[in-house]
Amino acid sequence: MTIETILPTPDIFSAKRILCIQPHYDDNDIAAAGILKQLQQNGAEIFYLTVTDDLMGVVDDTLSPEAVTETLKRDQFAAGKIIGVKEQYWLGYPDAGKYDYFDVRLDVLKYIRLIQPDFVFTPDPWLTYEGHRDHIQTGLATTEAVMFAGLTKIASSDPEVDSTYRGHDILGVVFYYTREPNTIADITQNWDEKIAAVRCYQAQFEPDDMEMLVMALDMKSRQVTAGAGFEHGEPLKVLHPQALHCGF
Ligand SMILES: [Zn+2]
């Protein structure tokens, strides 16, 4: 038995400012570029925050870390231009490495207070069979930061941001990479732009691997729409912030 939340599902189409917090440079777009493009067209401002430095997955071993970072950012900006991302931020934690989860939470808290989004996107940290710790830690740190954003006694990593923050409303948290969606976004009309954005992430994919990824995304996007009457979907778990604690 699954007990659903008693709180209403927030309306993502009311979003004005969206902060998407991703473990790696391509996760937001692989998982949610279709709906994000739609929300951007709907008038929302979109901000991306990338938690890790993403140095481990780069296919060209001859590049220095500095050159890799430049390549990664070039990919990310190209994709961001297609989706309409307003601003990109990075935290630089070591990709697949050892870092303090608590520090990530402090940094995410800083960016939530700085950008003051009404909706926050991040990976579902409770995804069954998720083996990548960066994904779990990013989702958990974001969940906690959303819960604690308004509690100004809890410091973020930036006292200056904290000193001017007076609180704001977060209407919803949107988990992507989830097996328990309560929303299947119809992204059929933005499918081509999503795939164009995903194809910008060349630093971490050999051409064959990119084709495999596009094929897998196509299959997954059709799987989740079964019976819904449209072609491509993105599964999302959209929750009221108060549903993030004690099962409400
Ligand atoms: Zn990732």
Side-chain angles (χ1 to χ4, degrees):
M1 174 184 184
T2 301
I3 305 172
E4 294 299 334
T5 174
I6 55 170
L7 294 155
T9 302
D11 175 16
I12 48 175
F13 289 98
S14 70
K16 303 267 189 298
R17 285 170 79 79
I18 302 172
L19 175 58
C20 307
I21 301 164
Q22 60 183 352
H24 307 111
Y25 84 144
D26 51 5
D27 288 307
N28 288 336
D29 288 335
I30 287 173
I35 184 62
L36 289 169
K37 178 70 191 176
Q38 202 171 331
L39 296 175
Q40 190 270 338
Q41 287 168 329
N42 203 36
E45 292 180 313
I46 314 266
F47 302 83
Y48 281 9
L49 174 64
T50 304
V51 170
T52 73
D53 59 19
D54 236 319
L55 296 183
M56 294 302 119
V58 175
V59 290
D60 185 348
D61 287 337
T62 65
L63 296 175
S64 67
E66 293 75 25
V68 166
T69 300
E70 209 172 290
T71 310
L72 292 168
K73 287 192 175 176
R74 195 180 57 216
D75 289 357
Q76 219 175 332
F77 282 127
K81 212 169 164 190
I82 295 170
I83 302 307
V85 178
K86 188 180 170 78
E87 204 82 57
Q88 308 254 10
Y89 304 90
W90 297 267
L91 297 180
Y93 286 90
D95 186 10
K98 191 176 177 185
Y99 54 86
D100 193 327
Y101 155 79
F102 195 76
D103 290 338
V104 179
R105 192 191 89 182
L106 296 182
D107 281 333
V108 173
L109 196 49
K110 166 192 166 175
Y111 280 94
I112 288 178
R113 287 178 178 164
L114 183 70
I115 297 166
Q116 303 191 15
D118 51 8
F119 278 80
V120 175
F121 280 56
T122 199
D124 182 348
W126 300 281
L127 170 68
T128 45
Y129 314 114
E130 174 53 77
H132 205 315
R133 181 167 280 268
D134 290 343
H135 282 226
I136 299 164
Q137 300 218 111
T138 297
L140 283 177
T142 300
T143 304
E144 277 195 24
V146 166
M147 285 168 46
F148 297 151
L151 299 176
T152 49
K153 283 182 186 168
I154 298 179
S156 81
S157 60
D158 190 333
E160 214 176 307
V161 170
D162 291 353
S163 71
T164 56
Y165 182 72
R166 297 289 173 264
H168 80 288
D169 289 332
I170 300 175
L171 305 178
V173 176
V174 182
F175 293 114
Y176 56 70
Y177 292 149
T178 184
R179 287 190 206 280
E180 296 177 25
N182 57 4
T183 302
I184 305 294
D186 177 2
I187 59 156
T188 309
Q189 63 179 6
N190 294 322
W191 177 252
D192 290 344
E193 279 151 313
K194 170 172 180 157
I195 294 305
V198 169
R199 284 189 184 282
C200 292
Y201 293 103
Q202 295 172 8
Q204 295 205 345
F205 294 95
E206 298 282 7
D208 284 357
D209 293 335
M210 179 56 78
E211 293 317 307
M212 289 287 285
L213 173 63
V214 169
M215 197 172 78
L217 286 174
D218 182 65
M219 288 173 69
K220 202 75 197 165
S221 75
R222 292 173 192 276
Q223 178 197 39
V224 298
T225 62
F230 49 85
E231 201 175 348
H232 297 289
E234 283 170 344
L236 306 168
K237 183 82 168 188
V238 184
L239 290 176
H240 191 287
Q242 287 173 14
L244 299 173
H245 186 43
C246 298
F248 289 103

